[in-house]
Amino acid sequence: MGLFSELLLLPLAPVRGVVWVAEKIEDQVDHQMNDPAVIRAQIDDLDAQYDRGEISEEERDAQQDELLARLTGRESGGGGSP
């Protein structure tokens, strides 16, 4: 029965491969979005942009609030479940 079921499922192998790749990408995105070091670097970048006059204080504060919410595990608006 094992060989027979493998033969039947063989056409689905590319789909399973794509699902596996998608899961790995999702894991990496989740890591990048929630890694404290990455978030701190983004906050530093916002401060540098503000110091260079590229963004306003309000823009900096709003983006920092979003980053700090991610850092502390709170979602700001995006509809995600806590």
Side-chain angles (χ1 to χ4, degrees):
M1 183 71 174
L3 178 62
F4 185 69
S5 62
E6 283 190 37
L7 287 174
L8 286 176
L9 294 176
L10 189 59
L12 296 177
V15 174
R16 290 191 309 236
V18 169
V19 169
W20 180 82
V21 169
E23 289 171 351
K24 294 300 176 189
I25 291 172
E26 181 182 24
D27 290 343
Q28 286 296 316
V29 168
D30 186 51
H31 175 71
Q32 288 292 318
M33 292 293 292
N34 297 317
D35 183 13
V38 172
I39 293 173
R40 287 187 188 108
Q42 290 172 333
I43 290 172
D44 291 342
D45 187 49
L46 284 173
D47 288 335
Q49 288 177 15
Y50 173 72
D51 291 341
R52 291 189 302 263
E54 296 173 1
I55 60 174
S56 69
E57 184 175 0
E58 293 80 19
E59 290 173 312
R60 181 194 65 181
D61 291 345
Q63 291 180 26
Q64 280 183 345
D65 287 344
E66 290 178 23
L67 291 169
L68 290 172
R70 281 191 356 221
L71 187 62
T72 58
R74 297 185 322 253
E75 290 295 322
S76 60
S81 59

